[in-house]
Amino acid sequence: MTWPAVVDGELREDGRVPLLALSSELQFGEGLFETLPMVDHSLIFFHRHLDRLEEGAAYLGFRGLPSRETWISDVRTLKRRLGMSDLSLRLLLIMDGEVLRRVVAATEAIATPHAAAAVGPVAAELNGPRSLSHLKSLNYLVPRRAHALGAAQGFDEVLFTGGRGQILEGTRTSVFAVLAGVLRTAPLSEGILAGVTRQVLLEAACALGIPSEERAFQEAELFTASEAFLTASLRGVRPIQSYRGVSLRGDGPVTVSLREAYQERARSPREIVSLGLS
């Protein structure tokens, strides 16, 4: 299926974005994106995603950003064309020479978002420090290649580790583990992406009285964790069923509680933007 897209407010049936051959995006991946779900005609955690997009744009010096109302209008245009209530959406800002372009694209919603994941390490040649990893930028080749190599080995996701063997993040996920009764995830100071779902889960843990801390844990500690899970905007909370082929404990009380809390927050009027039925 060829999916249409909305480019600078114009519906393009072929889903293509015309760009200069020597544009900043084509040469250098100079741009940003956000991926978020549309569920039952509503954008989930839309304003949190736009906060991150706008912070990244400020860091890169982008000017003339579209308003949030403009983004919502573009999504409505695409939703009317597709006639679907649930979608996986992608919002993009692209530097096309000196012009900042905006794009709204979509694919089908994920059918089984919370399915348990088989996880492994990122291939050694692709592991290590990544400049600007705190940005959700279009310069995405390393995580994309790492994910593809992992998939070829039968992994649903692969994890980056730091120089001390600490777990950082996945190619498209944040990583949590419950160790000695404490929920842990790497801190942003490790140079990881400030995941929207990651932040929602940390807030939910605090509200539920679940002890938590932003402190990195070692790869070896995954094997001793009472629970471990991945978080991502399109999949929510996804238990890790195995790491390096070794079975882990899977779903546990913390994972279940946080998944339920996430789903409740994802339905809260404070966290969604309703697009209506039309």
Side-chain angles (χ1 to χ4, degrees), residues 190-225:
E190 293 276 5
I192 63 172
L193 183 70
V196 168
T197 309
R198 171 188 181 278
Q199 185 58 38
V200 171
L201 265 288
L202 288 171
E203 293 170 9
C206 181
L208 291 169
I210 297 172
S212 63
E213 57 183 357
E214 295 179 68
R215 181 163 66 93
F217 52 89
Q218 298 296 301
E219 184 183 43
E221 290 182 277
L222 269 180
F223 299 110
T224 65

Side-chain angles (χ1 to χ4, degrees), residues 12 19 23 241:
R12 296 188 62 92
L19 296 170
S23 70
Q241 72 174 15

Side-chain angles (χ1 to χ4, degrees), residues 58-80:
Y59 180 89
L60 294 176
F62 291 174
R63 299 183 182 277
L65 298 184
S67 69
R68 299 191 177 197
E69 291 75 17
T70 297
W71 283 115
I72 292 170
S73 176
D74 288 353
V75 173
R76 279 200 174 101
T77 297
L78 187 59
K79 182 177 85 77
R80 283 195 297 268

Side-chain angles (χ1 to χ4, degrees), residues 248-262:
L248 302 185
R249 290 177 173 83
D251 260 0
V254 173
T255 306
V256 172
S257 294
L258 289 175
R259 183 187 299 120
E260 291 174 350
Y262 170 80

Side-chain angles (χ1 to χ4, degrees), residues 35-266:
T35 304
L36 67 156
M38 184 179 80
V39 178
D40 194 21
H41 305 280
S42 295
L43 303 179
I44 309 303
F45 301 118
F46 171 78
H47 289 295
R48 292 180 186 254
H49 282 279
L50 263 290
D51 287 344
R52 184 171 64 183
L53 186 71
E54 291 168 359
E55 289 170 8
Y59 180 89
L60 294 176
F62 291 174
R63 299 183 182 277
L65 298 184
S67 69
R68 299 191 177 197
E69 291 75 17
T70 297
W71 283 115
I72 292 170
S73 176
D74 288 353
V75 173
R76 279 200 174 101
T77 297
L78 187 59
K79 182 177 85 77
R80 283 195 297 268
R81 165 62 181 82
L82 294 172
M84 301 169 72
S85 62
D86 295 5
L87 289 167
S88 297
L89 291 170
R90 183 162 292 195
L91 314 181
L92 303 98
L93 284 175
I94 298 172
M95 282 305 302
D96 183 17
E98 298 299 319
V99 178
L100 184 63
R101 315 285 300 276
R102 74 178 189 275
V103 179
V104 175
T107 57
E108 290 179 325
I110 296 173
T112 55
H114 308 300
V119 178
V122 163
E125 67 269 23
L126 295 173
N127 197 32
R130 293 179 295 129
S131 298
L132 303 183
S133 57
H134 65 287
L135 296 177
K136 201 161 179 71
S137 78
L138 299 182
N139 197 333
Y140 203 64
L141 186 58
V142 169
R144 182 178 176 85
R145 183 61 181 156
H147 193 278
L149 290 177
Q153 298 180 65
F155 296 128
D156 299 306
E157 175 63 301
V158 287
L159 308 183
F160 290 99
T161 56
R164 304 183 307 279
Q166 73 275 28
I167 295 290
L168 298 178
E169 60 186 343
T171 64
R172 52 187 72 176
T173 57
S174 300
V175 188
F176 287 80
V178 179
L179 296 159
V182 178
L183 180 69
R184 286 170 57 183
T185 190
L188 299 183
S189 59
E190 293 276 5
I192 63 172
L193 183 70
V196 168
T197 309
R198 171 188 181 278
Q199 185 58 38
V200 171
L201 265 288
L202 288 171
E203 293 170 9
C206 181
L208 291 169
I210 297 172
S212 63
E213 57 183 357
E214 295 179 68
R215 181 163 66 93
F217 52 89
Q218 298 296 301
E219 184 183 43
E221 290 182 277
L222 269 180
F223 299 110
T224 65
S226 58
E227 304 174 47
F229 58 85
L230 308 172
T231 65
S233 292
L234 295 181
R235 288 188 173 274
V237 180
R238 189 180 188 191
I240 299 176
Q241 72 174 15
S242 63
Y243 185 70
R244 291 183 180 267
V246 178
S247 294
L248 302 185
R249 290 177 173 83
D251 260 0
V254 173
T255 306
V256 172
S257 294
L258 289 175
R259 183 187 299 120
E260 291 174 350
Y262 170 80
Q263 292 170 334
E264 181 178 349
R265 287 172 181 240

